[in-house]
Amino acid sequence: METQERLRRIDPARLAAFQAELLRKEYSVGTVENYLRAVRAFARWSGGMVDRGLVLTWKAQLTAQYAPATVNAMLAGLNRFFDFAGRPECRVKVLRLQRRSFREAERELDRGEYRALVRTARTLGRERLALVMETICATGIRISELRYFTVEAIRSEELTVCCKNKTRTIFLPPQLRKALRRYAARRNIRSGPVL
């Protein structure tokens, strides 16, 4: 009887076990935190009670308050928790999102705007910012991947980045490598991240 009760309520022990299971399965720390945040938010809202009707009502309230991607992120965490807790019948479908097959022109920088931004950064003495923009635009990396641009890595024509369980090779244009090496030399950066 007590086991059935635990399955109807979200308690701290179950959350701790859920967290341990996610970490054991090598989920990123950020994902684990997001999933736990979603489950805790639902538990606060529902008073710790769990049933499909409550989940559907919560989903409707989230949909009225937040952007669809935010709602889906919260539901993903909650659904994963229900799988873990042996309550798959409480899972709900995420919102369907229509992907845009294009970007709005006003959200893209053209070459002239990009050059003006880099020039302005340099004029203001913000060389690091200018190099960050140049590195992102020349390689197509994500901001979180800048840490892989180390003094050691920029000696070669390519580097490997591992981000969000994905590994990929980034090719470094010679001009960018030269600019990064000069920056590192001026800043007396002998090892580790350049930017």
Side-chain angles (χ1 to χ4, degrees):
M1 183 69 176
E2 190 221 337
T3 304
Q4 284 291 8
E5 182 60 28
R6 287 192 70 194
L7 293 176
R8 297 184 195 287
R9 296 190 60 78
I10 298 172
D11 60 42
R14 174 96 21 163
L15 274 176
F18 178 55
Q19 179 179 16
E21 177 68 5
L22 293 174
L23 292 171
R24 186 187 69 75
K25 288 185 174 181
E26 298 184 19
Y27 280 72
S28 74
V29 173
T31 299
V32 172
E33 288 172 2
N34 287 337
Y35 283 4
L36 290 172
R37 189 177 307 116
V39 175
R40 286 182 184 122
F42 174 75
R44 276 192 307 275
W45 177 86
S46 71
M49 299 302 295
V50 175
D51 75 37
R52 184 167 169 76
L54 284 171
V55 179
L56 288 169
T57 303
W58 191 60
K59 175 183 173 181
Q61 288 186 3
L62 290 177
T63 303
Q65 287 181 297
Y66 299 105
T70 302
V71 173
N72 284 348
M74 295 175 85
L75 293 176
L78 198 57
N79 284 340
R80 182 74 61 208
F81 175 76
F82 291 143
D83 286 341
F84 167 78
R87 294 293 305 268
E89 73 279 4
C90 291
R91 290 176 54 91
V92 294
K93 291 183 179 179
V94 296
L95 304 176
R96 294 183 67 196
L97 301 176
Q98 183 174 349
R99 299 279 180 205
R100 294 182 182 162
S101 58
F102 63 92
R103 292 188 184 138
E104 298 92 10
E106 64 270 6
R107 293 195 65 191
E108 290 186 9
L109 290 177
D110 63 29
R111 188 176 292 271
E113 292 168 325
Y114 159 73
R115 286 185 175 150
L117 281 172
V118 172
R119 192 171 39 250
T120 301
R122 286 216 164 86
T123 301
L124 296 172
R126 310 273 314 266
E127 184 180 8
R128 180 178 178 273
L129 178 60
L131 273 173
V132 166
M133 287 188 282
E134 288 176 330
T135 302
I136 290 170
C137 291
T139 61
I141 64 161
R142 298 168 183 87
I143 290 173
S144 62
E145 295 171 336
L146 280 170
R147 64 189 162 137
Y148 292 98
F149 284 73
T150 63
V151 171
E152 298 79 11
I154 62 173
R155 290 184 183 129
S156 65
E157 295 177 359
E158 62 186 50
L159 62 95
T160 303
V161 298
C162 302
C163 192
K164 296 188 176 186
N165 291 329
K166 295 176 189 160
T167 302
R168 58 194 190 112
T169 301
I170 306 293
F171 295 98
L172 302 175
Q175 214 171 349
L176 177 64
R177 288 175 44 220
K178 187 177 179 180
L180 290 169
R181 284 196 308 261
R182 278 192 310 232
Y183 177 80
R186 279 194 304 274
R187 299 283 181 188
N188 203 24
I189 302 170
R190 296 186 195 279
S191 68
V194 175
L195 300 170

